[in-house]
Amino acid sequence: MVGGGQLARMTHEAGIPLGIRFKLLSDTPQDSAAQVVSDVVIGDYRDLDVLRAFAQGCDVVTFDHEHVPTEHLRALEADGVVIRPGVEALLHAQDKGVMRKRLSEAGVSCPRHRIVADPEDVARFAAEAGEGDGFPVVLKTVRGGYDGKGVWVVRGVEEAAEPFRAEVPVLAEEMVDFARELAANVVRSPHGQAVAYPVVESIQVDGVCDTVIAPAPGLSEELSATAQEMALKIAAELGVVGHLAVELFETRDGRLLVNELAMRPHNSGHWTQDGAVTSQFANHVRAVLDLPLGDPRPRAPWTVMTNVLGGDYPDMYGAYLHCMARDPALKIHMYGKDVKPGRKVGHVNTYGDDLADVRERGRHAADYLRGTITE
């Protein structure tokens, strides 16, 4: 697996019961996954020679992020390395402009969008909406953004200069009036077997995922099925192998629009570690190795994942004593990461029959582990 973050750490954990030998390309020995994987190569994923040396002896190469240069992946594939989800599929998670074009051609509903050349072109795009000056609009660098980075909400042409300073193409999108954000997680194997997890609600705070509720409360069976079918269609159309997260807007008039794609385990699927028969991590491992996929059904009526963000970190042993004693059913997952304000350093999963109770338990544990509450 290329990338040493928490996604690699949890994917490695899922492969242990299957006896899978796991090799990791990590930036530093301190990275989350590098702390727990025995076979670690320290190197730069942007260096083709490093990638070629790393891939030797690997049956399959997969990823915990989308940032490996596309041309390097094509070179590896030409060398005979098995890349999953596949270079041409992964391109649609790497480049938002390519993704929007392909999904639109496939008839998948997306926000109004186009590549823009400069701030004046942004103003023209905004005006095309036909309502006033059309602002605000959303600007995104086509590559490299995550957790709110590389994304700007601009309310006028005078605010539109900053995205162009990176000197990469900029995608303009309409500012969607959405009721909430959803995510449809599916997994697809090389021979086309696919499974779909329940559609979840994803709650963002300052551009970072804070809480995921599975299944999305109040979502009709019809709209839930539509979201799952959309995700399965995208996986098949793009030839995805492994886990695919389709982040969605549910609009106030009841439509679904695709926001982002991720072709790897995803924050919106962390609830599956404790809340589904087979986790997203285990199914990703099965898919990239072309093993039969596991059951994605939920174990409880409600599961809530709450992210633990960096803050005024308490004594962790004391925090564990409190949280585990207060809630013996609580599942804590910490990543071994250095604490920085607002950084994801772990998550907690709670589950049960009463959604309000499940949410309160998750919120209390995450806040206590962060150090923002003391009782």
Side-chain angles (χ1 to χ4, degrees), residues 66-67 96 143-151 207-208 264 344:
E66 293 91 357
H67 305 314
K96 296 178 178 65
R143 285 179 177 256
Y146 66 96
D147 282 350
K149 300 177 177 66
V151 179
V208 177
R264 50 170 171 75
K344 296 175 191 172

Side-chain angles (χ1 to χ4, degrees), residues 1-5 8-9 24-27 31 33 45 62-65:
M1 197 166 205
V2 176
R9 182 184 179 111
L24 184 74
L25 179 62
S26 183
D27 290 341
D31 286 349
Y45 64 83
T62 190
F63 312 90
D64 91 333
H65 61 72

Side-chain angles (χ1 to χ4, degrees), residues 18 25-26 31 41 45 70 88 95 98 165 172 180 201 217 235 280 288 304 317 321 337-338 351 358 364 367:
L18 300 178
L25 179 62
S26 183
D31 286 349
V41 175
Y45 64 83
T70 306
E88 296 309 315
D95 190 308
V98 171
R165 294 188 181 119
R180 58 178 171 173
E201 180 176 351
Q280 64 165 346
V288 300
V304 172
Y317 182 76
L321 285 174
K337 295 166 69 172
D338 291 337
Y351 48 87
V358 172
H364 177 276
D367 288 346

